[in-house]
Amino acid sequence: MEVRMDLSRIIISERSDQQVIVLQERSGTRQFPIVIGSMEAMAIDRRVKGVQTVRPLTHELLANVIKAMHGEIEKIVIHDLRDHTFYAKLVIRLNGQMLEIDARPSDAIALGAAGDTPIYVEERVLREVTEMPGLL
């Protein structure tokens, strides 16, 4: 079962190469952080705020390619957690088919943020991560 989540916070620290995004359960209280890189955090922040760049950055480029091919990002699913690493997939509707593309959660969220793409986490992953001590 997939649980709908919202991007709750983007925590950008100039003192660290590792940044944090926090996902919050849409109809509940569970939340958890994902450590991401500085570039991904800035990309997510820019896309959420609608900041335009002079030339398309990687996430805008990929969004443009999907759109040019008449595809649509249906959802982002964080489906696994192994060795403290999250695994996600982009679910893209293209020519009547649903394609599942392996992605890092940070890249998937950066790509989907501008279009308000729904984010889901598998229930078992959400249970596992919210039961870890000292996460938030």
Side-chain angles (χ1 to χ4, degrees), residues 53-66:
T53 56
V54 176
R55 299 290 300 142
L57 300 177
T58 304
H59 300 101
E60 288 92 9
L61 172 64
L62 186 51
N64 292 342
V65 168
I66 292 168

Side-chain angles (χ1 to χ4, degrees), residues 62 73 75-76 88-92 99-103 108 111:
L62 186 51
I73 303 171
K75 62 183 176 177
I76 297 160
K89 59 186 169 188
L90 284 170
V91 179
I92 299 172
L99 305 173
E100 294 185 357
I101 311 296
D102 182 40
L111 180 59

Side-chain angles (χ1 to χ4, degrees), residues 6-87:
D6 291 314
L7 177 60
S8 170
R9 288 182 280 168
I10 305 166
I11 303 167
I12 298 174
S13 170
E14 294 178 10
R15 297 182 189 154
S16 174
D17 289 336
Q18 294 184 330
Q19 311 304 317
V20 176
I21 56 174
V22 178
L23 298 182
Q24 166 78 43
E25 185 176 21
R26 177 164 275 193
S27 59
T29 59
R30 296 179 290 181
Q31 63 178 347
F32 67 94
I34 300 176
V35 176
I36 63 175
S38 296
M39 298 302 288
E40 292 82 3
M42 294 304 292
I44 292 168
D45 190 55
R46 270 194 308 274
R47 300 224 354 127
V48 165
K49 292 176 179 173
V51 175
Q52 299 292 318
T53 56
V54 176
R55 299 290 300 142
L57 300 177
T58 304
H59 300 101
E60 288 92 9
L61 172 64
L62 186 51
N64 292 342
V65 168
I66 292 168
K67 184 177 179 180
M69 296 175 66
H70 305 287
E72 181 180 352
I73 303 171
E74 290 285 315
K75 62 183 176 177
I76 297 160
V77 180
I78 299 174
H79 63 89
D80 204 1
L81 174 63
R82 288 180 272 162
D83 299 321
H84 302 285
T85 300
F86 290 97
Y87 291 80

